Amino acid sequence: MMGGLSRGAAGVALAAACLAVPTTFAPQANAMIAPTLSVTMVGPALGANSVAAVGCGQTAQATVQRPDGTPVQSGVVEFTSRLPGLGGNIVGTVPVTNGTASILWIPDTVGQHIVSAVYYDGPPDYQPAAGYTTVTAMNLGGICL
């Protein structure tokens, strides 16, 4: 070997040089925000057992929050209603305002209805979210309480 470092010494020198040079990493992609969504029903005939009268309007309400509990300020919620084992109906799509989206829902059939809500179309870093509640619709002969 002429005037150079031995292979072993060169490896040590290279390793030392690599440790001395600061390394940078590619920035991590923005983390997706996973909001929570809860669905409740509001109406005069619901009561503690979530019983509604067929043909009587109730309000389906979705509450959409960021992981820290603050309300989501944009996006939309699509509400659907279905009976278990059967296809569903789209009730409607409404914008989220100050963490809530509400829509009128009128059960048209006796039975246990699953009222679902799906949040989407929020800021690009927000994931969709979904939730549901169940309501038992009874025929009260057209009487709305």
Side-chain angles (χ1 to χ4, degrees):
M1 243 172 80
M2 298 177 115
L5 295 172
S6 70
R7 200 179 301 195
V12 170
L14 181 59
C18 286
L19 291 175
V21 175
T23 56
T24 58
F25 297 98
Q28 187 175 8
N30 288 343
M32 295 295 288
I33 296 171
T36 60
L37 185 146
S38 60
V39 181
T40 56
M41 299 300 293
V42 181
L46 284 168
N49 295 325
S50 293
V51 174
V54 171
C56 298
Q58 307 297 324
T59 300
Q61 181 173 315
T63 302
V64 189
Q65 296 179 325
R66 294 171 45 96
D68 66 3
T70 59
V72 169
Q73 298 298 326
S74 62
V76 296
V77 172
E78 180 177 270
F79 290 92
T80 59
S81 173
R82 69 179 181 87
L83 295 167
L86 299 175
N89 299 318
I90 295 175
V91 177
T93 303
V94 293
V96 174
T97 304
N98 197 27
T100 62
S102 300
I103 195 164
L104 178 65
W105 174 72
I106 302 172
D108 58 357
T109 305
V110 170
Q112 184 181 35
H113 294 258
I114 299 169
V115 178
S116 303
V118 177
Y119 166 77
Y120 63 95
D121 207 21
D125 57 341
Y126 279 48
Q127 295 178 348
Y132 72 93
T133 190
T134 57
V135 179
T136 303
M138 300 176 68
N139 188 347
L140 300 179
I143 297 172
C144 295
L145 303 174

